[in-house]
Amino acid sequence: MSAEAASAPITAVDSGGRHDYSLIALIIGVVGIGIAAVGLAKGLSEGDSRPLLGWLLGFSIWLSVAIGMLFLLMLFYLFNAGWSGIVRRQLEHALSVFKWLGLIFLPLLAIAWVYHRDPGILWSWLNPDKVLPGGETVGQDVLYEKKHGYLNKGFFTVRVVLFFGIWIGLSEILRRASFRMDEDGDPKWYGVARKTSAVGIILCAMATTFAAIDWFKSLEYHWFSTMYGVWFFAESMRAGLAVTVLLCLLLQWKGYLRGIYNDAHSYTLGCLMLAFTVFWAYISFCQYFLVYSANIPEETFWYVIRELDADGSKNSWWLISMGLVFGHFLIPFLLLLWYKNKSGLRIVLVASWIFVFHISDIYWNILPGKIPGENILGFAVRQFTVAIWDVSMFVGVGGIFAWSFLKSARKARPIPIRDPHILESLYHHE
């Protein structure tokens, strides 16, 4: 082991120096979310759902990153991946963000309970009196009647608490086990983490699936899809891997992982990025193919509004759709086939590319929708736009994510020095 590798674990990340990066991140986070909150208030006063969608977009982008990291951490434990010890510690710090994400989601939940003017301003099914395109109300809709047992305010609230309870609970158990092993060196904590992961990966899969259905899919509650939860899992894994790669390389550049995190770790993460790129494409295509081949109006409309306006002409979402096919699959797939693209500056570019198109995919799944319009169909399609509320929320939640990571990183060493596999991780090679 190099001298740098031997000394680096002694110092916690962001433990001092000329700049308090955690404070800077917190300020950015508070300001960004504050601006988005102004948009939220404006949207409620004007009856405009667009600022609320901006809040949901910014929240969802970083939620998916955190979920991907949680799945990744549990998979490392389940497969007893000895090489991953160095990477696991960074994931453990990042997962401290879940409790803050829960607080950030609260305003959207509160609107359903206290905004009596239109509790269904974001999720239309929360307001049975809301008029749908075509003239009938939600309460008169036969599909709503069939789904009312699931799509109702009380059960929705219970599920929100349950989802965050699972994510926060699993994260804190895994973090505690790892940090306690640093303190006393007892290998039983590794066993605790593995057993927790065995049960937790099932609970997390269920929570992630139903959260995707509740928060994203139910924006158009008429739509049916049995693969939507798997899409969100695949998308979260891609986002989590991309941010993990960027985070580890940043810590290496700043000196905290210098001489510890090497090209072999980067290469292995790159291989996982390639695998989940293919998996995302498989799931996304299968969902489209099944809807296309069945040709049922209650299913096909979801894809139609992501290609055509009410008059049958191509809309702005068609370009985003093509961007996802080529930019989110084909280009990263081809780039990650090459060994040299899985390390150094090249993997930084690939990971950044994937994260940018991850944002596009979240937009593509959340923002399109039917809005009142004066035409024969009675609706228009909400087009692709990037609002100031979207940007401020993305930056704000990202700031909270960074602050939470740095706050946690101050309390523990950059690597798990007493992990049973730490030497295997330090000397990992292709």
Side-chain angles (χ1 to χ4, degrees), residues 253-310:
W253 174 64
K254 295 293 291 183
Y256 300 109
L257 295 181
R258 188 171 299 150
I260 299 174
Y261 182 81
N262 59 40
D263 284 349
H265 297 105
S266 184
Y267 172 78
T268 308
L269 289 172
C271 290
L272 289 171
M273 290 169 66
L274 174 60
F276 279 99
T277 295
V278 175
F279 183 66
W280 173 87
Y282 166 73
I283 293 300
S284 299
F285 173 74
C286 284
Q287 179 176 265
Y288 177 82
F289 179 74
L290 290 173
V291 170
Y292 178 84
S293 60
N295 198 26
I296 301 172
E298 288 83 3
E299 298 176 1
T300 54
F301 84 92
W302 194 85
Y303 281 102
V304 170
I305 64 174
R306 283 160 175 79
E307 179 182 357
L308 303 174
D309 280 328

Side-chain angles (χ1 to χ4, degrees), residues 136-157:
E136 68 176 357
T137 64
V138 171
Q140 296 169 333
D141 185 2
V142 66
L143 287 178
Y144 172 74
E145 291 177 3
K146 298 297 183 182
K147 298 180 179 184
H148 176 65
Y150 183 84
L151 295 179
N152 62 80
K153 184 168 59 177
F155 194 22
F156 177 72
T157 303

Side-chain angles (χ1 to χ4, degrees), residues 39-154:
L40 206 63
K42 183 175 182 292
L44 293 176
S45 66
E46 298 176 357
D48 181 10
S49 64
R50 184 61 180 85
L52 281 74
L53 286 165
W55 189 282
L56 183 62
L57 284 164
F59 162 82
S60 302
I61 290 166
W62 292 107
L63 173 72
S64 58
V65 172
I67 288 175
M69 288 180 163
L70 178 56
F71 271 115
L72 198 59
L73 180 61
M74 291 189 290
L75 287 170
F76 285 158
Y77 276 119
L78 283 177
F79 287 97
N80 206 24
W83 67 270
S84 67
I86 291 167
V87 177
R88 283 204 323 264
R89 176 52 53 89
Q90 317 320 316
L91 299 176
E92 289 159 1
H93 291 318
L95 294 182
S96 62
V97 78
F98 270 116
K99 53 183 174 290
W100 307 115
L101 289 174
L103 290 175
I104 292 168
F105 186 80
L106 276 181
L108 297 181
L109 182 61
I111 289 168
W113 287 94
V114 303
Y115 185 59
H116 301 298
R117 178 180 170 184
D118 181 9
I121 186 173
L122 182 57
W123 294 289
S124 59
W125 50 267
L126 282 168
N127 181 8
D129 297 323
K130 191 177 185 70
V131 179
L132 300 171
E136 68 176 357
T137 64
V138 171
Q140 296 169 333
D141 185 2
V142 66
L143 287 178
Y144 172 74
E145 291 177 3
K146 298 297 183 182
K147 298 180 179 184
H148 176 65
Y150 183 84
L151 295 179
N152 62 80
K153 184 168 59 177

Side-chain angles (χ1 to χ4, degrees), residues 154-413:
F155 194 22
F156 177 72
T157 303
V158 170
R159 293 196 301 273
V160 169
V161 174
L162 185 60
F163 300 155
F164 279 107
I166 290 172
W167 294 326
I168 293 171
L170 289 173
S171 299
E172 291 306 314
I173 293 171
L174 294 171
R175 280 162 45 81
R176 180 176 179 270
S178 181
F179 297 162
R180 287 293 297 273
M181 190 160 51
D182 269 6
E183 296 171 4
D184 58 28
D186 192 335
K188 76 174 184 181
W189 296 113
Y190 190 85
V192 168
R194 291 200 74 194
K195 291 175 183 177
T196 300
S197 298
V199 176
I201 201 162
I202 299 172
L203 294 175
C204 190
M206 294 179 66
T208 300
T209 296
F210 285 103
I213 291 170
D214 283 7
W215 302 341
F216 315 140
K217 182 170 172 282
S218 77
L219 289 166
E220 292 286 348
Y221 71 86
H222 285 163
W223 189 46
F224 293 83
S225 173
T226 57
M227 303 186 72
Y228 198 75
V230 189
W231 159 79
F232 188 59
F233 161 72
E235 187 62 36
S236 296
M237 288 298 295
R238 297 191 71 188
L241 281 163
V243 174
T244 298
V245 167
L246 295 173
L247 180 60
C248 288
L249 288 169
L250 176 62
L251 291 173
Q252 182 190 50
W253 174 64
K254 295 293 291 183
Y256 300 109
L257 295 181
R258 188 171 299 150
I260 299 174
Y261 182 81
N262 59 40
D263 284 349
H265 297 105
S266 184
Y267 172 78
T268 308
L269 289 172
C271 290
L272 289 171
M273 290 169 66
L274 174 60
F276 279 99
T277 295
V278 175
F279 183 66
W280 173 87
Y282 166 73
I283 293 300
S284 299
F285 173 74
C286 284
Q287 179 176 265
Y288 177 82
F289 179 74
L290 290 173
V291 170
Y292 178 84
S293 60
N295 198 26
I296 301 172
E298 288 83 3
E299 298 176 1
T300 54
F301 84 92
W302 194 85
Y303 281 102
V304 170
I305 64 174
R306 283 160 175 79
E307 179 182 357
L308 303 174
D309 280 328
D311 62 3
S313 61
K314 299 287 186 183
N315 61 31
S316 57
W317 293 111
W318 182 80
L319 293 175
I320 304 297
S321 301
M322 294 300 100
L324 293 175
V325 171
F326 295 100
H328 206 28
F329 167 62
L330 186 60
I331 292 176
F333 170 72
L334 294 175
L335 290 174
L336 288 168
L337 290 176
W338 272 266
Y339 171 85
K340 290 183 178 180
N341 292 336
K342 297 189 182 79
S343 61
L345 178 61
R346 295 186 181 188
I347 199 170
V348 170
L349 298 176
V350 175
S352 300
W353 179 279
I354 288 174
F355 189 65
V356 168
F357 277 93
H358 163 67
I359 296 171
S360 300
D361 199 14
I362 295 295
Y363 263 83
W364 191 81
N365 275 270
I366 290 178
L367 194 54
K370 297 177 181 179
I371 57 177
E374 297 187 7
N375 54 50
I376 191 171
L377 296 177
F379 72 88
V381 177
R382 185 186 295 111
Q383 300 296 320
F384 171 70
T385 56
V386 179
I388 182 63
W389 322 118
D390 308 352
V391 177
S392 62
M393 192 63 182
F394 170 75
V395 173
V397 181
I400 297 299
F401 199 110
W403 167 73
S404 182
F405 175 90
L406 294 170
K407 185 169 175 282
S408 175
R410 286 176 169 175
K411 301 175 182 178
R413 300 171 188 265

Side-chain angles (χ1 to χ4, degrees), residues 23-40:
L23 179 59
I24 295 171
L26 179 60
I27 292 172
I28 291 172
V30 171
V31 171
I33 293 176
I35 295 172
V38 172
L40 206 63

